[in-house]
Amino acid sequence: MKIYNTLSKKKEEFIPIEEGKVRMYVCGPTVYNLIHIGNARPMIVFDTVRRYMEHKGYDVNYVSNFTDVDDKIIKKAMEEGVDASVISKRYIEECKKDMAAMNVKPATTHPLATNEIGGMLDMIETLVEKGYAYKAEDGTVYFRTRNFKEYGKLSHKNLDDLQGGNRSLLVSGADQKEDSLDFVLWKPKKDGEPYWESPWCNGRPGWHIECSVMSKKYLGDEIDIHAGGEDLVFPHHENEIAQSEAANGKTFSRYWMHNAFLNIDNRKMSKSAGNFFTVRDISEKYDLQILRFFMLSAHYRSPLNFSAELMEAAKNGYERIVTSVGNLNYLLENASAEELKDGESALLEEAGGFASRFDEAMDDDFNTADAIAAIFELVKFANTHAGQESSKAFLKALKEEIMELSDICGLIVEKQEELLDADIEALIAERQAARKEKNFARADEIRKELLDKGIVLEDTREGVKWKRA
Ligand code: AMP
Ligand code: ZN
């Protein structure tokens, strides 16, 4: 399996630190608003990377943070007259709903910055002790960038070029820096802002330190993969490397993966530019599986332009797979022969070739565009060779192969039949009758059957109520 490493600018063979295990950290969103579909790109892309690695047999420890203390969160909290934690909690919940709707698996751990302040103070203290950080007069603690000799190795920037072009990075209090390249680890509080006590001043962390600390705590000093959108290469990831490697004295991450932007009219989609659609907006028009399909139809390192036409193309593509699975289900229900018939084994062997092609594409730096093309070929093959004469074993094997490859992409391609309200009511009536006859086994069976189809029952004094989960 080859991964393009931003650090070496090359595709490299993936060799994990510990055999059979992957330690992976993905920078998560700052939570002050509903996420937009640009934020969704890294979520979908790296969830797919994780799924593929799990398919290969790796045990993946996947950590993704929520940045829950930040200027934008504080500003929104002040506008609403509530505590910053009210805002961050609200949007973490909303973000988790969007992730679930896009079939993005929850991370092994989703740490929150505000729960990890102790670890941040420890790391900053270590950096001060080692001479990599210093306190300015106003209490701000800066990282002494020039002391970290390898600074710039990820973004391939030269320190002196940075020095010249660095004016835009100047922040308040920056006149107290020893060097304009130095960046903030800890900053003094302002009125009305959340703050924590520290040896330097009452204040809050700079943004970069949280990821160094959470990665260390949940994955160890050395990890396999660190990932995020390409805007994070500089300064965020460059600064994370400086902090972690200076503090721990070890290589921070072996592989650095970055997704290209999701654009709209060839400009990066972003909250600040105002040119965005939230995941919620898209869900009003499309099944979010189609959004997922759209994201995976391009290689993750290629820019992807969002447009109505491309979403329609994604819809057609996704539905082609769904229709094929539906067709196989129909044939399965009506097939008479159980065992493989003459010639079907050979066909299944041929079909296995599409799975190999899928793996080859994914092994080549997660080329999901080619991987989806392999699924399409398999679908075409199934549509050609599956028919009323096919055996159940043959149909089942074809269906399972399509389902497995789609599942690695996180695509749900088997549509559950939606129960109509009338069917639900009828089953509830049957359950009530069963209970009256003290046939509790049947009553429980019906409750479970409904639950499997996403219908939750609630027994109340006024009778049984139900809702779709
Ligand atoms: P933010 O909340 O802005 O820190 O972003 C969270 C994640 O989304 C980071 O990995 C960003 O790099 C990524 N991201 C933000 N905007 C886009 C975009 N338009 N296209 C792709 N990734 C993006
Ligand atoms: Zn980060």
Side-chain angles (χ1 to χ4, degrees):
M1 182 164 51
K2 286 203 159 61
I3 297 183
Y4 180 89
N5 191 347
T6 308
L7 200 59
S8 63
K9 291 191 175 172
K10 283 196 199 93
K11 282 186 199 169
E12 295 174 27
E13 190 60 35
F14 178 67
I15 304 166
I17 297 168
E18 205 179 325
E19 209 184 317
K21 299 205 166 154
V22 180
R23 303 175 203 165
M24 179 163 182
Y25 187 99
V26 181
C27 290
T30 305
V31 278
Y32 66 101
N33 223 328
L34 291 174
I35 57 162
H36 61 69
I37 57 174
N39 301 132
R41 190 171 189 195
M43 289 177 182
I44 291 172
V45 160
F46 298 117
D47 177 62
T48 306
V49 168
R50 170 194 190 171
R51 284 168 181 270
Y52 184 64
M53 290 189 150
E54 286 172 346
H55 157 74
K56 293 278 247 185
Y58 288 106
D59 175 6
V60 184
N61 190 347
Y62 190 98
V63 176
S64 189
N65 64 309
F66 287 114
T67 299
D68 65 343
V69 56
D70 160 273
D71 289 344
K72 294 179 214 118
I73 300 172
I74 294 168
K75 182 165 171 266
K76 181 127 181 172
M78 286 178 172
E79 281 163 14
E80 289 194 20
V82 295
D83 212 61
S85 64
V86 173
I87 301 294
S88 58
K89 280 207 184 85
R90 182 195 303 158
Y91 290 108
I92 287 169
E93 286 318 305
E94 297 303 333
C95 180
K96 286 185 174 170
K97 282 187 209 159
D98 286 338
M99 284 168 64
M102 296 185 294
N103 205 23
V104 170
K105 288 198 206 184
T108 315
T109 314
H110 278 293
L112 307 183
T114 54
N115 288 340
E116 311 289 345
I117 303 289
M120 298 190 214
L121 297 179
D122 288 346
M123 190 178 275
I124 298 172
E125 215 149 8
T126 305
L127 291 170
V128 172
E129 277 164 19
K130 288 189 166 184
Y132 283 108
Y134 61 93
K135 180 185 137 180
E137 236 168 77
D138 67 352
T140 307
V141 183
Y142 290 103
F143 187 90
R144 197 173 268 131
T145 301
R146 279 187 188 275
N147 274 19
F148 183 68
K149 295 296 169 230
E150 293 178 81
Y151 195 83
K153 69 177 171 180
L154 181 71
S155 51
H156 307 282
K157 289 182 193 290
N158 168 308
L159 279 189
D160 294 317
D161 293 348
L162 278 173
Q163 189 91 63
N166 206 25
R167 282 177 206 284
S168 63
L169 292 178
L170 293 182
V171 291
S172 62
D175 44 337
Q176 297 187 359
K177 287 185 190 186
E178 290 176 2
D179 187 299
S180 74
L181 287 173
D182 297 350
F183 60 88
V184 174
L185 297 172
W186 187 263
K187 55 187 172 189
K189 77 179 182 96
K190 293 198 201 111
D191 280 348
E193 288 187 354
Y195 69 91
W196 291 263
E197 288 177 4
S198 84
W200 313 287
C201 64
N202 287 343
R204 61 186 169 101
W207 169 37
H208 316 297
I209 194 74
E210 72 179 75
C211 291
S212 286
V213 167
M214 297 183 204
S215 182
K216 179 182 171 79
K217 175 163 170 188
Y218 295 99
L219 299 169
D221 288 354
E222 295 175 280
I223 69 169
D224 295 298
I225 302 174
H226 197 115
E230 69 180 2
D231 52 339
L232 300 187
V233 175
F234 185 86
H236 185 52
H237 287 165
E238 196 72 64
N239 290 355
E240 280 187 37
I241 292 179
Q243 296 164 159
S244 295
E245 298 194 354
N248 304 329
K250 296 196 182 121
T251 301
F252 181 28
S253 177
R254 289 195 177 186
Y255 303 86
W256 288 85
M257 295 180 72
H258 294 98
N259 64 273
F261 291 143
L262 178 81
N263 293 328
I264 191 156
D265 298 326
N266 296 311
R267 276 179 55 219
K268 180 194 171 195
M269 182 175 287
S270 76
K271 280 176 200 155
S272 53
N275 60 345
F276 65 89
F277 291 108
T278 63
V279 170
R280 228 38 86 77
D281 292 335
I282 299 303
S283 74
E284 280 168 19
K285 195 155 177 228
Y286 293 100
D287 179 341
L288 290 178
Q289 292 297 300
I290 294 169
L291 180 68
R292 185 160 183 131
F293 185 98
F294 163 76
M295 295 285 183
L296 298 179
S297 61
H299 189 271
Y300 75 93
R301 284 189 291 113
S302 305
L304 178 57
N305 210 39
F306 180 80
S307 70
E309 292 77 35
L310 285 178
M311 279 301 282
E312 284 303 311
K315 183 167 185 269
N316 290 335
Y318 170 67
E319 282 173 357
R320 213 188 305 169
I321 308 174
V322 173
T323 306
S324 178
V325 171
N327 210 11
L328 289 170
N329 274 338
Y330 175 79
L331 291 171
L332 261 168
E333 268 172 38
N334 297 293
S336 47
E338 293 286 338
E339 307 295 323
L340 284 183
K341 293 185 174 176
D342 277 355
E344 287 185 338
S345 304
L347 282 172
L348 285 183
E349 207 164 296
E350 204 181 317
F354 301 114
S356 311
R357 220 174 290 170
F358 178 96
D359 278 12
E360 262 166 48
M362 292 297 274
D363 281 340
D364 182 17
D365 190 32
F366 308 97
N367 191 334
T368 52
D370 284 1
I372 286 178
I375 300 182
F376 277 158
E377 286 186 55
L378 173 62
V379 161
K380 195 166 145 207
F381 183 88
N383 293 349
T384 310
H385 296 286
Q388 283 166 359
E389 299 306 313
S390 305
S391 70
K392 283 193 179 171
F394 178 71
L395 296 165
K396 206 161 157 261
L398 282 178
K399 178 188 160 184
E400 274 171 8
E401 190 178 341
I402 298 177
M403 298 282 289
E404 189 187 359
L405 301 188
S406 302
D407 185 57
I408 296 169
C409 296
L411 293 168
I412 300 167
V413 292
E414 185 171 32
K415 288 281 141 185
Q416 297 295 342
E417 273 175 53
E418 279 239 331
L419 281 181
L420 298 174
D421 288 6
D423 297 335
I424 297 168
E425 307 281 355
L427 278 166
I428 290 175
E430 195 191 330
R431 175 170 171 266
Q432 294 301 81
R435 288 172 94 184
K436 240 187 201 153
E437 291 164 14
K438 302 224 179 315
N439 183 355
F440 297 112
R442 176 66 189 142
D444 283 350
E445 203 176 86
I446 294 174
R447 173 189 276 274
K448 180 159 186 313
E449 190 182 323
L450 285 167
L451 192 64
D452 287 346
K453 296 193 167 150
I455 309 298
V456 184
L457 300 188
E458 196 192 340
D459 292 309
T460 72
R461 243 180 269 160
E462 295 85 54
V464 183
K465 291 192 175 151
W466 63 270
K467 62 174 194 258
R468 292 181 199 273

